[in-house]
Amino acid sequence: MRNLLPMLSNHSHGGGRSAMTCRFRCGDACFQEVPNTSANEYVGDVIAGALSRRSVMRAAAVVTVASAAGSALAFGDVPAAEAHGRPKPNPKTDGARGLRFQPVAPNTADQVTVPAGYEQNVVIRWGEPILRGAPAFDPEKQTAKAQAGQFGYNNDFLSLLPLPGEHHRQVLVANHEYTDEVLMFRGYDPENPTREQVEIAWAAHGLGVVVVQEEHRSGKLTAVTRHRLNRRLTATSPFELTGPAAGAALVRTSADPAGRTVLGTLNNCSGGTTPWGTTLHGEENFNQYFANASSATDKRYGIGTGASERKWERFDKRFDLKQEPNEAHRFGWVVELDPYDPESTPRKRTALGRFKHEAAQPRLTADGRPVVYMGDDERFDYFYKFVSSKKMKKGSSRAAHAHNLTLLDEGTLYVAKLTGDSPAAEIDGTGKLPSDGEFDGSGVWIPLATAGPAGAVSHVPGMTAEEVYVFTRLAGDKVGATKMDRPEDIEPSPRTGRVYVALTNNSNRGKGTNPAADEANPRNLNKHGQILELAEHWDDPASDGFAWRLFLVAGDPNDPATYFAGFPKEKVSPISCPDNVAFDPHGNLWISTDGNQLGSHDGLFGVATHGERRGELKQFLTVPTGAETCGPIVQDRRVLVAVQHPGEIDGASVEKPASVWPDGPGRIVRPAVVSVWRADGRDIGV
Ligand code: FEO
Ligand code: CA
Ligand code: CA
């Protein structure tokens, strides 16, 4: 008997996702108690006393600089966002360079809807064979062996890397976040999954690498099957733990007494691409795969005390924490993959901390050290950055590459604390702008731990370095990090250096004993989310201070509680639940959504971040019924999106599909990657 959660017509689970999505993707994170019950303060409070004396002095110094300089200084090059004096845009042909297309209207069509004059193709679907020997997809006769050579389920993050020496080809890397058993297996019984079904699910999780061929004169892409770089990594492939927590007592298990080799990666949501040619992959809602949690630290990560949804613990005891209490400590990391070396073992980089990693986006300091920005996607959790102490080596020599594969093992991990500059009384929880006209303020990056060649040092009183890395959420609690509205993807602008943080929503903000609205999270019962913009001091991403302001407060532009960087609201598209973000070659920010609460399907939007059209947001596409838009990549000639969990509507199943995408009636619904391009062959949006 299927035991679906009741359909919630008021969408009281965060965002507009179906209960089925909540159940399979996040282990019903929004139905559980908020895991962050720490008493730390929020925006507007003073720096917490739990910091070490040195950190307090340093943080105080930064705050002083921030307030003396004022956030206006850090954001100084942006013209005031005033409605008057703006050009009157013609949405058909006008817009910032890169965003000149006719916006797609909100809709609920069971298809990928693109602007007039644009075309699309499905690049690759769940189950398409990519490795030598893998059979053609047959959903009625699927096997774990077949799945391990085929494209995985529920594509999320995408990266496209150049493939020098092969004409018009690129390397596509994809995350396969989670499986949706009721949409994969006819007659699936959630109380009694079979071993074969479980092993198919293991093989459908993980990462995929597949070379794609560009069609001449269009943005069309097709998969090159059996290319030597094509690869699948699954829930059973070996991964190496590296950095300060590798080998630690907390990550040793009976199968791996050395604490250095983990089988599998799970719930890879979004990620990033490094300047040295590797990809990063966040392990997000890993908690849901484990059964029988008993410790307080497990509780902080939302691991359940009973059976898991998918019952994997029946088939491999490592998923039963009663038997292997440390196995869950080996998930929740950022994975680094070298897609150009199909023999390489991917690494879990423990110096970047353990939490529900949404994504990990790097950039370099002026002196060549990587800085990686990361969000922990949970209501009232934090966002972080890691600053490496090692410089990237340029060039393609073997020695340079080997060196660059160690960059993420040494450096300092920080968590963000934000302070608003408006009186707390002016932040009333409705989204009404305070009297200074902006939700803004200053922030500090609070150091948690530093990993070096001789070992790691904790900066958190009462926690060892090993504990800071494995229980990073608790370290954030102790130092008084700011509780945010679900930090998702974070992306630095290659054009301006500013950093954009997507905060999806938080239906629990201000509810019951949960923290109320603050200047960075200004709406109670926040259904639509917001995007935060950071400017780091002296343009130095390694510095420990920043100025911040809200760039977008999402929702229906007719709703007074929305804000589009001051751009006239009658000229923007409605948007709800910003999730993944990416920059196009012109410096515009592209935003995909997850859980639209305005009655439309999810979509992809572009918005100018600088110049006189800053804040002009336009919708580029919508996705089919039940789907979320993921992994956006915007190149000159194409826009690539991952259509994740199409048809994932409560009550839907293989027998009773809610969507017929991508192959039409009578064919199983399949998550897939879609490329969109201009029919006339010109660049996107120019
Ligand atoms: Fe997998 Fe936070 O979305
Ligand atoms: Ca303010
Ligand atoms: Ca996401």
Side-chain angles (χ1 to χ4, degrees), residues 120-384:
Q120 59 177 298
N121 83 303
V122 173
V123 180
I124 188 163
R125 299 157 174 79
W126 163 49
E128 287 187 28
I130 60 173
L131 302 188
R132 230 175 277 279
F137 181 61
D138 181 346
E140 305 295 342
K141 294 186 185 137
Q142 182 65 317
T143 65
K145 187 161 176 275
Q147 179 65 75
Q150 297 169 335
F151 199 60
Y153 201 78
N154 268 349
N155 34 218
D156 195 310
F157 169 72
L158 303 175
S159 180
L160 272 177
L161 296 147
L163 188 49
E166 295 196 31
H167 210 47
H168 292 301
R169 284 182 171 178
Q170 300 187 64
V171 184
L172 175 68
V173 182
N175 281 357
H176 299 295
E177 187 178 14
Y178 69 101
T179 47
D180 229 320
E181 281 74 0
V182 294
L183 300 182
M184 295 170 70
F185 305 118
R186 189 179 291 282
Y188 181 70
D189 176 356
E191 295 311 312
N192 296 292
T194 66
R195 173 167 283 278
E196 188 69 29
Q197 287 169 335
V198 166
E199 291 187 355
I200 291 168
W202 290 344
H205 274 75
L207 315 175
V209 180
V210 56
V211 171
V212 288
Q213 179 79 45
E214 301 170 358
E215 187 182 76
H216 195 43
R217 289 185 202 288
S218 85
K220 186 174 181 175
L221 291 176
T222 47
V224 179
T225 52
R226 297 190 294 272
H227 192 280
R228 68 181 174 84
L229 293 185
N230 287 3
R231 191 173 186 192
R232 277 302 320 285
L233 293 137
T234 72
T236 56
S237 311
F239 288 71
E240 186 192 350
L241 279 172
T242 70
L250 285 168
V251 299
R252 294 180 203 148
T253 63
S254 57
D256 176 32
R260 294 189 179 269
T261 308
V262 182
L263 294 185
T265 187
L266 291 171
N267 214 263
N268 294 102
C269 188
S270 193
T273 306
T274 70
W276 54 94
T278 63
T279 49
L280 303 179
H281 309 266
E283 294 186 318
E284 195 191 16
N285 294 297
F286 66 90
N287 54 307
Q288 65 182 299
Y289 303 98
F290 294 93
N292 304 323
S294 58
S295 71
T297 52
D298 288 341
K299 189 163 194 274
R300 182 65 180 86
Y301 285 82
I303 305 179
T305 50
S308 72
E309 169 65 38
R310 293 177 181 79
K311 316 286 186 291
W312 289 0
E313 63 275 13
R314 292 183 194 167
F315 303 93
D316 186 340
K317 75 176 173 83
R318 70 189 174 113
F319 295 107
D320 180 351
L321 297 186
K322 227 187 266 166
Q323 300 190 62
E324 278 296 349
N326 285 349
E327 186 68 17
H329 300 160
R330 294 141 62 86
F331 294 84
W333 302 103
V334 169
V335 171
E336 182 174 14
L337 172 73
D338 181 356
Y340 295 106
D341 180 1
E343 303 302 318
S344 61
T345 302
R347 279 93 164 189
K348 298 196 180 191
R349 301 295 189 190
T350 64
L352 279 59
R354 175 174 168 267
F355 42 91
K356 292 186 180 178
H357 279 285
E358 170 76 17
Q361 186 57 49
R363 68 160 147 177
L364 296 177
T365 59
D367 65 357
R369 289 175 295 138
V371 177
V372 184
Y373 298 90
M374 303 173 285
D376 182 352
D377 180 9
E378 183 100 49
R379 295 166 297 168
F380 304 108
D381 255 293
Y382 313 131
F383 65 96
Y384 300 81

Side-chain angles (χ1 to χ4, degrees), residues 61-71 441-443 537 546-547:
V62 169
V63 169
T64 308
V65 168
S67 40
S71 52
S442 59
H537 278 298
F546 56 89

Side-chain angles (χ1 to χ4, degrees), residues 492-613:
S493 164
R495 191 61 70 95
T496 66
R498 288 191 202 118
V499 181
Y500 293 82
V501 186
L503 300 156
T504 287
N505 58 48
N506 184 351
S507 49
N508 275 28
R509 174 72 62 184
K511 196 173 177 180
T513 55
N514 290 307
D518 59 35
E519 197 162 348
N521 303 277
R523 288 182 296 190
N524 287 329
L525 312 177
N526 178 11
K527 287 199 295 188
H528 302 299
Q530 66 266 21
I531 293 186
L532 180 73
E533 185 180 48
L534 311 181
E536 297 192 89
H537 278 298
W538 310 292
D539 280 337
D540 175 8
S543 76
D544 52 9
F546 56 89
W548 64 266
R549 61 184 172 185
L550 293 190
F551 173 59
L552 295 181
V553 180
D556 180 342
N558 293 315
D559 174 353
T562 57
Y563 178 73
F564 295 82
F567 198 80
K569 289 202 216 172
E570 65 279 12
K571 298 185 173 80
V572 303
S573 298
I575 183 171
S576 177
C577 303
D579 185 340
N580 298 144
V581 285
F583 281 91
D584 69 17
H586 311 281
N588 302 304
L589 180 69
W590 289 63
I591 306 159
S592 63
T593 67
D594 173 17
N596 185 303
Q597 285 268 293
L598 296 169
S600 169
H601 283 179
D602 276 314
L604 179 67
F605 302 76
V607 60
T609 61
H610 57 279
E612 61 190 9
R613 293 181 182 276

